[in-house]
Every structure is written in C-alpha cells, then in structure tokens.
Amino acid sequence: MHDGKISYDKFDYQYFDHSLGRQGNLALQELKTELIVSAPEKAVMIDRMFINHENIAEDDLTLNISIS
C-alpha cells in the first residue's frame, strides 16, 4: 500500500488477521493508526475484526456512512 501497488480497498485484511497470527495482528494495529486519517472506514473495520473473530464475513466488516 505504501508504494501504491495496492489500494486500501484491495488489501487483504482478513489474511493478516487470520493467517499471520500475532505478527499479523500487530501489523494491522500499526496500519490502523495510519488509516485513521486517510481511510477511517478501514480503521473501524480493523477494530471490528478484533471484537469478534468467529465467522466474520468481509461484508460484515464494512462501514456504511451516509453524509447528508
């Protein structure tokens, strides 16, 4: 993501969470601090990943924000 090869939307957050164990979780927490400004919906998604790990579908982790 840092070099522009992959967007925040295409990044595989689930892989880091489920396949890389503690190191993946630590990387996600570090990434979350970067995303708070540039992609706050992804930071919220990462927070939700740590709340409930049981059978979370990617669609369930999205945040729908309507600005009126």
Side-chain angles (χ1 to χ4, degrees):
M1 282 189 293
H2 291 122
D3 59 6
K5 291 183 180 179
I6 190 163
S7 70
Y8 295 124
D9 292 327
K10 300 285 184 184
F11 185 75
D12 190 355
Y13 299 90
Q14 296 290 328
Y15 174 74
F16 272 71
D17 184 38
H18 295 292
S19 300
L20 298 180
R22 184 174 191 279
Q23 295 303 315
N25 290 334
L26 292 173
L28 283 174
Q29 290 302 315
E30 184 177 325
L31 178 61
K32 183 179 81 170
T33 62
E34 297 173 24
L35 295 175
I36 288 173
V37 173
S38 59
E41 71 281 1
K42 297 301 180 186
V44 170
M45 183 188 75
I46 291 171
D47 276 340
R48 288 182 181 180
M49 292 170 81
F50 291 100
I51 293 171
N52 180 6
H53 277 93
E54 296 179 8
N55 299 321
I56 297 176
E58 187 173 336
D59 291 342
D60 295 335
L61 295 173
T62 59
L63 176 65
N64 296 321
I65 300 174
S66 62
I67 300 173
S68 48

